[in-house]
Amino acid sequence: MTSPAYLNALRAFEASARHQSFSEAAKELNVTPAAVGQLVRHLEQVLDIPLFIREKSGKQRLITTKMADMVLPDIRAGFEQINLGLEKLKQADTGHTLTVTVSPAFAEKWLLPKLDHFQQMYPDIDVYLDTDRELTDFLSKKIDIGIRYGYGVWDGLTAIHFLDEEIFPICSPKFLEHNSIHEPQDLLDKTLIHDLSVSNQEDFLNWKKWLNKVDVSNINIMRGMRINNSATVIQAAIDGFGIALARSVMVNDDLKSGRLVRLFPQIHFKSSMSYYIVYREENKDSTQKLAFKDWLIFEANM
């Protein structure tokens, strides 16, 4: 059996086992069921072992033999490596574009203001930002590297600890001029801005948890402004709409520039979650990826 035919036979066998049907495998492979059956039978003849137990109960259903079950994981792993190799070839053929996945808020408040530094250091690398709020599948969307917020565990990804952060109240200088705020109890009659973009994170420090930590219980946290984008929450505070709970990583530049003021600087609460640089392990040695990872770490320590 020639090498291409051998691979075709293995692919026909793997698809048939997965679907338990020659017909369904044929649809996936875009050939006829007869062709799939012939390829599988040829493979059985070459290997001199049966791969399926044919059952007829109205509609024929294929059941893999014990020997077939033993080899299927290795065959599937082999095809995955072949697909990864093809993806690398495709990426090598598309020039020097580095695809980076980040949340819209992190992109706007941390990454974009610094990205020009990277472009100056590596003018031959074009950066494409995938700013999707939902977790992105790295393989299907051809993501090279990303930054995620959480606990450092994501299936199929290597995670490198990147940035820790504090959670604290902030407001604009003008808002502070017109409102007397010296201690947490002074928030009683003030407009609170709620960040809903992290409401699905059980351990995230929201207003209710923050007020409990500072022993303030008489504030109605059901009222206030609610926004589902962290960057917009910060902008609302800059524009003087109220007081927001800020994540230090997001507001560092705004605090330095004086656009925002940190309230109660004597009170410190570190977030239980952190930012992580994430990528697929099999692509860890990519020159572009290594350059971007090292640059991120450099910027974080500036």
Side-chain angles (χ1 to χ4, degrees), residues 184-185 188 208 211-221:
Q185 188 63 44
L188 178 61
K208 180 180 180 180
L211 290 168
N212 285 340
K213 283 180 176 289
V214 295
D215 296 322
V216 175
S217 58
N218 59 341
I219 294 178
N220 183 4
I221 55 92

Side-chain angles (χ1 to χ4, degrees), residues 165-180:
E165 66 178 3
E166 280 191 89
I167 308 291
F168 47 76
I170 48 96
C171 68
S172 71
K174 184 174 289 188
F175 186 92
L176 192 58
E177 284 178 15
H178 294 88
N179 292 274
S180 178

Side-chain angles (χ1 to χ4, degrees), residues 83-98:
N83 289 333
L84 288 173
L86 291 173
E87 285 299 322
K88 289 179 181 179
L89 286 174
K90 290 178 183 177
Q91 291 171 14
D93 192 43
T94 56
H96 299 281
T97 299
L98 183 75

